[in-house]
């Protein structure tokens, strides 16, 4: 078999995905600018003979130069961490931009693109030179390659003409083809190609000779950042010129490959347990919009940590940006506390995960603990709409035996179920399969027994259950179903749900069995964790129950002013509360009216209740 090496270029200081295929070699292009630790198995283009320091103008071509000078192969190929070739024998549907597009490079995409070792090997060995499929310039709103270059806002057509002049002087046999490419209607993008050794050697000699001469003569001292990448842009054109020149020779096996663009190209975080084994793993889940509240919760955790313990706080997300992540790591990391952001996009792709009412999609991410943090025997999960007032290490130390999960009873659910002729009680029995509704736990604070739970359920099964849409309280219901009869119950202090809208305590929880109501009222005296679960929050309406605790913590964060701003909007010169609060108030008035008209236990009230749950969840 031929020795095939396809070099995948990566940007410095970004942890991007790596294909699991022995033919692909991951290289940091511009490793001279790498400041972070280099991931295991990744090559650097500043080793041996190299031009890594020129990456800002040569772009990904510094990888090609390094491979040319330092690596031996029968075939050399080049692509990018988010752009790959398709080796499928069948044409795959493209977007209007001429690329096949995927959200993630998951197993389905790998299969469709035939990115498996044998398929890649078999395909490549049938050719001498393969290049990324040409794109018609009409698709780029240009009549020719020359016009496309000229219309680029940060490029300068004088550089293209200098480039052609250098080719005339040094490689006159390419001159005619070079002008045909620029005057033609097909552009070969991305510096992506695969070539047999002898052709690769010939092309690389020409390429770097021409580009070196160009950089000697051109003045790019006042160019923009993109303009300074002109050398790489010209190299892109030379790849097309060389391919067209080979076609004219009529003696080579040539082909064009479709390009696949991967939208989400961050590498999955690989979690390995700390060597000392005495780490408290905690999981939070949020999105970019929720970052101010997430940070406030995180700060409250950090303020109540013990100097004698180590804490790894994982944030599961799909869109929290690098600047926000840096805010956490710069300000909240301690010698014994570390924040790790885990993008879970690829793991939840393909599932609907439609949460109900005020519950967010991120609530389902706690299921992923079983896969992502399987190196830990136990993991603490916390919702973000909380203020932590006690050391979570004590929560982690809960003796669980062979229980699957530890959680606190849900006094709100218990109150709903204990009302006369409760439709919720029937739901608990008929849908959840819980004969006793008063063992139902609230899922905002949990300790997962990862070892035991992994024996009885998989993440895929949990996500499939969520896709059925039959559960009113989303993942909380699902966990109660799965963990039935194998629950360690926490003191309600660990998950004291606040009196939402000053309504929940006296209008719902008071109906709970007396011992649950007693536990709830005791928990309110000295809560370890205050959980702002409900449609209203202190950051929406400041006088909410235990709101002062939230605001005391929020004032210490860099997001305090942002939280204040988000709470209000301008209306007729007056600051008014957000629309959510207004809608909630209207709903409350309507609910009270209907409760008066249709007394508890009446058939029409039960019917209306069932209709409500079907429509709104």
């Amino acid at each position: 078999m031929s020795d095939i090496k396809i070099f995948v270029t990566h940007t410095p200081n970004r942890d991007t995905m790596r294909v699991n295929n022995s033919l692909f070699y991951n290289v940091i292009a511009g490793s001279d600018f790498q400041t972070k630790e280099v991931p295991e198995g990744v090559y650097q283009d500043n080793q041996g003979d190299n031009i890594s320091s020129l990456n800002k103008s040569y772009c990904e071509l510094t990888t090609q130069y390094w491979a040319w000078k330092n690596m031996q192969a029968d075939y050399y190929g080049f692509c990018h961490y988010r752009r790959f070739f398709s080796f499928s024998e069948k044409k795959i549907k493209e977007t209007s931009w001429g690329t096949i597009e995927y959200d993630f490079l998951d197993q389905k995409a790998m299969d469709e693109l035939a990115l498996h070792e044998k398929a890649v090997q078999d395909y490549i060995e049938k050719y001498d030179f393969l290049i990324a499929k040409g794109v018609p310039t009409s698709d780029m709103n240009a009549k020719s390659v020359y016009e496309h270059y000229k219309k680029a806002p940060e490029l300068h057509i004088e550089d293209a003409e200098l480039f052609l002049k250098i080719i005339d002087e040094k490689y006159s046999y390419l001159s005619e083809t070079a002008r045909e490419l620029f005057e033609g209607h097909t552009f070969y993008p991305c510096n992506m190609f695969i070539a047999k050794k002898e052709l690769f050697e010939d092309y690389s000699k020409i390429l770097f000779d021409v580009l070196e001469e160009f950089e000697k003569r051109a003045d790019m001292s006042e160019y923009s950042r993109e303009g300074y990448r002109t050398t790489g842009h010209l190299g892109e054109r030379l790849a097309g010129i060389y391919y067209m020149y080979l076609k004219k020779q009529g003696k080579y096996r040539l082909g064009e490959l479709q390009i696949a663009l991967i939208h989400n190209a961050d590498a999955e975080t690989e979690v390995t347990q700390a060597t000392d084994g005495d780490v408290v793993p905690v999981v939070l889940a949020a999105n970019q919009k929720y970052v101010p509240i997430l940070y406030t919760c995180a700060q409250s955790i950090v303020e109540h940590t013990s100097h004698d313990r180590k804490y790894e706080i994982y944030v599961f997300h799909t869109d929290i940006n690098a600047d926000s992540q840096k805010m956490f790591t710069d300000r909240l990391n301690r010698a014994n506390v570390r924040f790790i952001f885990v993008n879970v996009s690829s793991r939840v792709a393909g599932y609907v995960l439609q949460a109900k009412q005020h519950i967010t999609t991120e609530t389902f991410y706690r299921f992923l603990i079983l896969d992502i943090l399987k190196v830990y025997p136990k993991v603490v999960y916390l919702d973000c709409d909380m203020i932590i007032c006690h050391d979570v290490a004590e929560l982690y130390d809960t003796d669980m035996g062979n229980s699957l999960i530890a959680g606190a009873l849900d006094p709100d659910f218990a109150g709903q179920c204990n009302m006369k002729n409760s439709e919720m009680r029937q739901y608990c029995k008929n849908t959840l399969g819980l004969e006793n509704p008063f063992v139902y736990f609230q899922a905002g604070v949990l300790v997962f027994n990862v070892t035991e739970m992994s024996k009885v359920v998989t993440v895929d099964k949990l996500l499939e259950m969520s896709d059925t849409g039959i559960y009113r309280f989303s993942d909380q219901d699902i966990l109660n179903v799965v963990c039935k009869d194998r629950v360690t119950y926490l003191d309600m202090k660990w998950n004291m749900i606040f009196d939402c809208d000053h309504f929940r305590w006296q209008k719902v929880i008071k109906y709970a069995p007396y011992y649950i109501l007693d536990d709830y009222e005791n928990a309110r005296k000295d809560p370890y964790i205050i959980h702002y679960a409900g449609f209203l929050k202190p950051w929406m309406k400041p006088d909410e129950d235990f709101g002062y605790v939230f605001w005391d913590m929020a004032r210490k964060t860099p997001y305090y002013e942002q939280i204040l701003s988000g709470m209000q909007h301008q209306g007729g010169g007056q600051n008014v509360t957000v629309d959510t609060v207004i809608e909630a108030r209207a709903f409350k008035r309507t609910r009270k009216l209907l409760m008066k008209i249709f007394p508890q236990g009446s058939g029409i009230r039960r019917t209306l209740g069932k209709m409500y749950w079907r429509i709104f969840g």
Side-chain angles (χ1 to χ4, degrees), residues 81 152 208 215 249 354 390 425 486 502 570 574 586 597:
Y81 68 88
F208 293 107
E215 290 218 329
Q249 307 310 301
Q354 186 171 354
H390 209 74
R425 189 165 191 153
R486 294 186 65 180
H502 301 287
Q570 298 299 316
Q574 299 286 331
I597 297 173

Side-chain angles (χ1 to χ4, degrees), residues 288 291-292 294-296 298-299 302 320-334 339 341 556-562:
Q288 180 63 39
V291 161
L294 168 68
Y295 189 101
T296 307
Q299 179 151 316
V302 173
I320 297 179
N321 63 41
D323 288 342
S324 297
Q325 294 183 31
K326 190 172 186 295
M327 186 75 80
F328 283 75
T329 55
D330 285 354
R331 292 173 176 249
L332 293 181
N333 275 2
R334 304 285 188 272
F339 280 82
F341 285 79
K556 303 176 185 179
T557 75
Y559 291 100
Y560 176 59
E561 291 80 7
Q562 189 173 331

